[in-house]
Amino acid sequence: MEFGPLVESVAPPANLTGYSVEKIARDIYNPGHFLFNAGGALLSYSPNDGVAVLAGNVAENGLKDGSAADARFSLLVDFTQYNETMIAIVDIKNHCIRKLDTKLKLVSHLIGSCHFFSNPSSEYVDFEEPGKNVSADTDILNHPTRILYVSSRNYFLTYDLLNNLIIKVDMYTNTAALLIPHLHSESLPKLAGLIVDRVERHLYASHDYGITKIDLETLDSELIVGTIAKPDENMEMFIPISAGPFADAYITTLTSLQWLIQDAAIVAVSGQDNEAIAVLDLVNEEVMFLCNGKLHNLHGYSKCATCYLTREGFF
């Protein structure tokens, strides 16, 4: 697998300078447009139309539903489209998932119970009981960071950062439960990225030190690259991911996963101090670099390339 040079770059608007863009994704219902987030806003970009704010305000935080222009979020960290007009938005510090109706231009609650810039209430749901199902409108999230819509099964998967849980929210019944009750922090430490294959049978989850594949029907899990424990105390600060066969690859944290070739090759992004973009070849079980920002040597950091990137494989 070979890659050519960067063919186009887009400078961010001046009013976005200093704000982290956590995600960039194609607008699947509006060809030629991309969706992205910055600060407390969800935005759209196209070469012809430039940048437009869809909801919220880049520089203002809060918790307010209503018109898209007046709505306020704490900090947007992820989003996903789940039909032609609806976008689910992860509002991390308000501890909930909210939705934007792009046709009506309205923001409202979707999953969890929102609490503005505070810890969840004392009513926070404890999922320790195996197979427990609760209303999706209750306090089920504590700093959510990821949202994924599985359309063929009509449910969302969201990740609770502070409790290290993958929670399934069934949209038919509006109930929530753990995706896999027996998966705890030891088997999926600090999850960061989620993608599914074309038929939505397998979930790929990046986490500290590796990537795990989960069968969404049998709920069996398989570590496909890396480990589930820190392999070397001295390496974590310096090398986000190493190239080579899956069996030998070293990984610290991959902050994002995105399909390069559906079901065959994954773009993996490390947004740590050592920035890197790698491709995971699932067919040949090999890790290759697209871009490697810094490497460590005995005398400290050394630039081997310039690597500007977001968490969804655009750089």
Side-chain angles (χ1 to χ4, degrees), residues 107 207 252:
V107 171
H207 48 81
T252 54

Side-chain angles (χ1 to χ4, degrees), residues 82-225:
Y82 61 102
N83 64 36
E84 291 184 10
T85 64
M86 304 302 290
I87 303 175
I89 300 171
V90 178
D91 195 348
I92 181 172
K93 293 185 178 181
N94 287 332
H95 309 289
C96 59
I97 311 297
R98 298 163 71 190
K99 62 184 177 183
L100 167 66
D101 186 322
T102 58
K103 182 178 181 179
L104 299 178
K105 298 183 179 179
L106 290 175
V107 171
S108 58
H109 161 273
L110 181 61
I111 299 169
S113 179
C114 299
H115 303 276
F116 176 52
F117 269 85
S118 67
N119 292 322
S121 75
S122 59
E123 301 299 319
Y124 175 75
V125 173
D126 187 349
F127 280 106
E128 286 302 313
E129 181 183 337
K132 185 172 185 176
N133 284 270
V134 300
S135 169
D137 295 328
T138 53
D139 287 315
I140 60 173
L141 298 174
N142 193 341
H143 283 73
T145 58
R146 292 290 175 263
I147 188 75
L148 179 70
Y149 181 57
V150 183
S151 60
S152 62
R153 303 163 193 266
N154 197 29
Y155 63 64
F156 287 101
L157 295 176
T158 184
Y159 177 63
D160 182 323
L161 175 64
L162 293 192
N163 292 293
N164 197 53
L165 302 173
I166 302 177
I167 298 171
K168 181 175 74 172
V169 179
D170 189 320
M171 299 305 291
Y172 289 119
T173 61
N174 195 41
T175 57
L178 294 186
L179 175 65
I180 305 178
H182 64 272
L183 275 184
H184 298 293
S185 58
E186 294 80 8
S187 50
L188 282 179
K190 198 177 179 182
L191 186 147
L194 294 173
I195 56 172
V196 290
D197 60 12
R198 185 185 302 276
V199 298
E200 298 183 329
R201 170 67 186 267
H202 294 103
L203 172 73
Y204 292 84
S206 65
H207 48 81
D208 279 359
Y209 321 122
I211 296 176
T212 292
K213 181 171 74 171
I214 299 172
D215 189 314
L216 292 176
E217 290 188 6
T218 66
L219 299 183
D220 293 331
S221 60
E222 173 192 4
L223 182 74
I224 63 170
V225 59

